[in-house]
């Protein structure tokens, strides 16, 4: 079985999305790239029972290379990231996570850009945009997403959810978690009053600081 480890990781993170409340049922999807091949969640299958053999493997052109199940209906979005997205720091793009998390989706119906209420937004980029709405699974949605991702590692999808990428599933997943957390924070603060926002210069400063964050 090709991409055995990657397919197992897709199963693990798909189940984690459900456990963490970032998706309900079979919504949301996960993929990992290794070279010219992509392991991606299948469409319309309960994540609880997923096995590595259930995970389709496709080429960067979308053709199925191995697997009996059809890939997610959002495959155009995943392939657009792998084929066209560029990490702001030049890092590899090897994983994509798409969620329907509640607070982030709520914010996507209210705003064109996530307000800089917390510096953690800088893990995505100088700002976090909301991609224009388009029907799920379409090239139009993938195109709108790509525009919102310009110079960013993630975005919200209007009336839909979130998407983020990274060098590995851990990085991509961390970013969708942070998007959900920040959106929840903004909704909570906004419900109580008018939250103080960070100036763009501070977010830019944190973007630079994060380049040296962690253990290297």
């Amino acid at each position: 079985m090709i991409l055995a480890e990657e397919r197992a990781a897709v199963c693990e993170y798909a189940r984690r999305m459900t456990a963490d409340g970032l998706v309900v049922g079979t919504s949301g999807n996960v993929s990992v790239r290794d070279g010219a091949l992509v392991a991606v969640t299948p469409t319309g299958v309960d994540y609880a029972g997923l096995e590595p053999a259930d995970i389709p493997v496709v080429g960067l052109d979308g053709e199925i290379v191995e697997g009996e199940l059809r890939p997610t209906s959002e495959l155009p979005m995943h392939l657009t990231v792998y084929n066209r997205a560029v990490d702001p720091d030049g890092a590899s793009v090897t994983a994509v996570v798409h969620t329907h998390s509640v607070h982030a989706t709520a914010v996507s119906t209210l705003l064109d850009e996530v307000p800089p209420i917390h510096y953690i937004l800088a893990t995505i980029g100088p700002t976090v945009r909301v991609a224009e709405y388009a029907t799920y699974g379409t090239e139009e949605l993938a195109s709108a997403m790509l525009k919102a991702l310009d110079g960013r590692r993630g975005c919200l999808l209007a009336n839909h959810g979130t998407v983020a990428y990274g060098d590995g599933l851990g990085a991509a997943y961390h970013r969708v978690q942070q998007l959900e957390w920040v959106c929840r924070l903004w909704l909570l603060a906004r419900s109580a009053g008018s939250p103080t926002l960070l100036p763009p210069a501070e977010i830019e400063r944190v973007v630079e600081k994060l380049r040296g964050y962690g253990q290297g």
Side-chain angles (χ1 to χ4, degrees):
M1 184 172 68
I2 61 174
L3 299 192
E5 291 184 7
E6 289 80 2
R7 290 158 99 170
V10 167
C11 293
E12 175 189 348
Y13 276 88
R15 284 191 283 270
R16 184 173 171 183
M17 282 198 306
T18 303
D20 289 345
L22 299 180
V23 300
V24 175
T26 63
S27 64
N29 27 79
V30 174
S31 69
V32 179
R33 174 183 179 178
D34 182 11
L37 297 177
V38 176
V40 62
T41 43
T43 186
V45 176
D46 188 346
Y47 296 149
L50 274 183
E51 298 292 339
D54 298 325
I55 303 301
V57 175
V58 302
L60 292 174
D61 58 0
E63 292 296 316
I64 296 177
V65 175
E66 187 171 283
E68 298 298 323
L69 300 179
R70 289 185 293 115
T72 173
S73 58
E74 296 292 10
L75 185 61
M77 200 159 59
H78 289 255
L79 296 180
T80 294
V81 172
Y82 292 128
N83 286 316
R84 300 180 62 185
V86 178
D87 184 272
D89 291 335
S92 298
V93 179
T94 63
V96 177
V97 178
H98 164 50
T99 78
H100 289 182
S101 51
V102 173
H103 300 91
T105 303
V107 169
S108 81
T109 71
L110 299 170
L111 302 168
D112 295 324
E113 195 167 78
V114 181
I117 193 170
H118 194 281
Y119 67 81
I120 202 66
L121 279 178
T123 61
I124 304 296
T127 63
V128 176
R129 304 185 185 104
V130 179
E132 291 184 6
Y133 180 80
T135 304
Y136 83 94
T138 62
E139 294 291 347
E140 289 79 10
L141 176 58
S143 178
M145 173 207 66
L146 186 65
K147 183 178 179 181
L149 284 178
D150 185 26
R152 311 293 188 270
R153 300 179 183 89
C155 69
L156 303 191
L157 307 171
N159 301 80
H160 189 152
T162 75
V163 64
Y165 66 79
D167 187 5
L169 269 172
Y173 194 82
H174 174 75
R175 287 167 186 151
V176 295
Q177 286 182 303
Q178 295 293 3
L179 279 175
E180 172 64 2
W181 182 84
V182 168
C183 288
R184 182 180 181 186
L185 173 66
W186 183 80
L187 287 168
L188 179 63
R190 188 67 182 85
S191 70
S194 298
T196 300
L197 302 178
L198 296 173
E202 174 59 13
I203 298 297
E204 292 280 4
R205 181 169 181 263
V206 175
V207 168
E208 291 300 318
K209 283 179 65 68
L210 285 172
R211 291 194 169 104
Y213 178 77
Q215 302 299 317

